[in-house]
Amino acid sequence: TLAGRSKDGKAVTIIIANFNPHLYFKEYPFSPPQDAPSREAPSQVREVMEEAKRGYNYTKYNLEMNNLPWKSARFERYLVDDSHKLELIETGKLSDYSLTRETKSPSVEIIRLYEK
């Protein structure tokens, strides 16, 4: 997760990336070209895959935002996944500065907050 405020202080952007390589390669298997030389994956790749098997599978996130300069805000959620290409999927108003939503892997969400 990464966040930043605009220079004028009127907007905040939050980026949430949800990627588990093990789940990704189960869903989208990799097949090298038939003429590619046969070789084993580098040790770093094997280590990441083994860690992912033991690790996480995020299905939900909860954002708790503090110290925002507004009493209330509106938000926009944009999604990139296998069926959304940076599409606006939700707009709304926030009064308590928390946002809980379901998510899947692989995906990237961009959340924009504006003064209401």
Side-chain angles (χ1 to χ4, degrees):
T1 303
L2 179 67
R5 187 181 65 174
S6 63
K7 282 186 177 184
D8 64 7
K10 294 183 179 183
V12 171
T13 302
I14 303 164
I15 301 171
I16 301 171
N18 187 11
F19 180 72
N20 179 319
H22 179 67
L23 293 177
Y24 179 83
F25 288 115
K26 279 178 73 175
E27 181 77 21
Y28 307 98
F30 172 73
S31 299
Q34 288 184 352
D35 61 347
S38 176
R39 62 180 168 219
E40 193 173 328
S43 63
Q44 298 94 336
V45 172
R46 289 193 311 271
E47 289 171 16
V48 167
M49 293 301 290
E50 286 303 313
E51 184 177 320
K53 286 180 188 177
R54 296 186 300 273
Y56 56 91
N57 180 19
Y58 297 116
T59 58
K60 181 170 50 169
Y61 64 82
N62 181 41
L63 289 176
E64 296 287 335
M65 297 157 273
N66 298 307
N67 301 319
L68 292 174
W70 320 301
K71 292 184 185 211
S72 62
R74 56 189 170 91
F75 71 92
E76 299 172 344
R77 285 179 59 222
Y78 296 85
L79 178 62
V80 176
D81 66 7
D82 56 355
S83 58
H84 299 89
K85 309 303 178 213
L86 194 58
E87 295 173 26
L88 179 64
I89 60 167
E90 182 183 10
T91 62
K93 296 176 184 174
L94 292 176
S95 55
D96 64 354
Y97 292 117
S98 69
L99 188 66
T100 302
R101 296 293 184 268
E102 292 183 1
T103 186
K104 65 179 187 172
S105 179
S107 66
V108 175
E109 285 197 34
I110 298 175
I111 301 168
R112 298 270 300 165
L113 302 174
Y114 305 94
E115 185 173 14
K116 187 166 111 174

